[in-house]
Amino acid sequence: MHPAFSVVFFTTATGAGYGLLALLGVLGGLGFIPAHFWLGLIGMGLALGLIAAGLLSSTGHLGRPERAWRAFSQWRSSWLSREGVSSVATFIPAGLFGIGWVFFGRTGGWMAIAGFLATIGAIVTVCTTGMIYASLKPIAQWHSPYTLPGYLIFSAMTGSVLLNALLQAFAISPTAVAVAALLLTLLGWGWKLATWRYNDALEIATTANTATGLTGGTVRSLEWPHTEENYLLKEMGFRIARKHGAKLRRITQALAFALPALLLAVAFALPWPFAAALSVLAAIVQFAGMLVERWLFFAEAKHTVTLYYGR
């Protein structure tokens, strides 16, 4: 029993992809990034590729993937449905922006408008993804003021580190992007530490007594309500040893934040191509670290239904 890798990869890949897309859309539209053919092709291809790979990965988590299209009809009440609608809608301006950049060599005019719309769509989609988890009241670790901002911060962080690596690879090294990548990585680190501190101090008022309405004595389970593990236990009832959790937190801090920040800082003092190599390495290491961070995000979540199982 462990968090599904499909969901872990989905949240990591789409977060980085939408972060990169948002930055390409706004910075390209403003002319801050040159409309270079290969830069546009690889940059937009990487952003849309990460998004598409993440979305496809998420379908593997469904019990009946062929029915995934039905989720789009519930956008009035479901954050999951809103995420699906906004993710598909974002591809339209993103595709137009990419076509203008790659085939026409321009990012101004109507292409700039498409880029700005793609940026807005990317931000909205990340918000809907964050709200899927932040809206779940039975899971105190997710239903907190840290979840939604965390999604936005991590998306901007990974997107900026990817953009910096991309620009450095093409010997385009605007200092502002490198500084933003470093500062956002440090901000993400601080936000993650604050989130862990908040979750560790949680005092959940719900107990087996309050859940069942029985106030006399201590309520405990004599046996499970059913003979097999259900969906909630598999997805939100994972038990991780304290020593393993502490080790994985250290790995997360090292790979997702500390090492990328160090590599980005050292890259400032080195000439190209060494700065480019360190920037690319920082992006790769951070992506690996965010996979561990997302795994912990799901593994450390506890649904109150586990009270019925003596957990």
Side-chain angles (χ1 to χ4, degrees):
M1 184 174 64
H2 54 81
F5 180 75
S6 58
V7 178
V8 172
F9 180 78
F10 159 70
T11 54
T12 305
T14 54
Y18 281 121
L20 178 58
L21 176 62
L23 291 172
L24 288 173
V26 67
L27 297 180
L30 293 174
F32 189 78
I33 300 175
H36 187 280
F37 171 80
W38 287 108
L39 177 60
L41 181 65
I42 296 177
M44 292 298 295
L46 178 61
L48 296 179
L50 284 170
I51 294 169
L55 292 175
L56 289 174
S57 173
S58 68
T59 62
H61 186 63
L62 301 175
R64 299 294 295 271
E66 69 276 9
R67 296 180 181 177
W69 64 271
R70 295 185 178 180
F72 291 89
S73 64
Q74 306 300 315
W75 58 270
R76 293 181 182 85
S77 58
S78 168
W79 284 108
L80 179 62
S81 182
R82 292 165 187 163
E83 178 197 42
V85 172
S86 60
S87 64
V88 172
T90 302
F91 271 96
I92 298 174
L96 293 174
F97 181 67
I99 290 172
W101 188 340
V102 174
F103 293 100
F104 296 100
R106 295 175 53 197
T107 55
W110 67 266
M111 278 80 80
I113 296 175
F116 296 151
L117 291 176
T119 297
I120 294 173
I123 295 172
V124 169
T125 304
V126 172
C127 286
T128 57
T129 303
M131 283 303 300
I132 292 174
Y133 305 101
S135 63
L136 297 178
K137 294 182 180 180
I139 306 176
Q141 291 84 359
W142 293 351
H143 188 64
S144 80
Y146 288 90
T147 299
L148 178 57
Y151 266 83
L152 291 169
I153 291 171
F154 294 145
S155 181
M157 176 189 75
T158 51
S160 64
V161 173
L162 281 174
L163 178 60
N164 179 64
L166 186 64
L167 295 179
Q168 289 282 2
F170 281 89
I172 305 169
S173 53
T175 305
V177 173
V179 171
L182 176 57
L183 292 179
L184 284 169
T185 297
L186 295 176
L187 174 62
W189 192 357
W191 194 264
K192 189 72 256 184
L193 290 174
T195 303
W196 283 334
R197 190 178 302 112
Y198 176 87
N199 289 343
D200 291 343
L202 279 174
E203 294 183 3
I204 303 175
T206 303
T207 64
N209 290 70
T210 61
T212 58
L214 303 174
T215 57
T218 300
V219 175
R220 60 187 179 88
S221 299
L222 296 178
E223 59 182 14
W224 280 26
H226 42 74
T227 58
E228 296 181 357
E229 289 193 339
N230 60 14
Y231 170 81
L232 287 176
L233 284 181
K234 291 180 179 179
E235 299 294 328
M236 304 162 196
F238 184 72
R239 288 177 291 184
I240 179 172
R242 184 180 298 273
K243 64 176 181 180
H244 294 153
K247 180 180 179 180
L248 289 172
R249 286 187 178 188
R250 290 193 295 270
I251 293 174
T252 296
Q253 292 186 70
L255 295 182
F257 309 112
L259 187 53
L262 177 62
L263 292 172
L264 291 171
V266 173
F268 278 111
L270 297 178
W272 193 89
F274 301 106
L278 290 182
S279 297
V280 172
L281 181 60
I284 295 173
V285 169
Q286 187 173 78
F287 189 86
M290 288 306 297
L291 287 173
V292 180
E293 187 277 333
R294 288 292 88 182
W295 190 92
L296 270 177
F297 176 79
F298 291 102
E300 293 181 330
K302 294 294 184 293
H303 197 289
T304 52
V305 76
T306 58
L307 290 170
Y308 288 99
Y309 302 88
R311 296 187 184 180

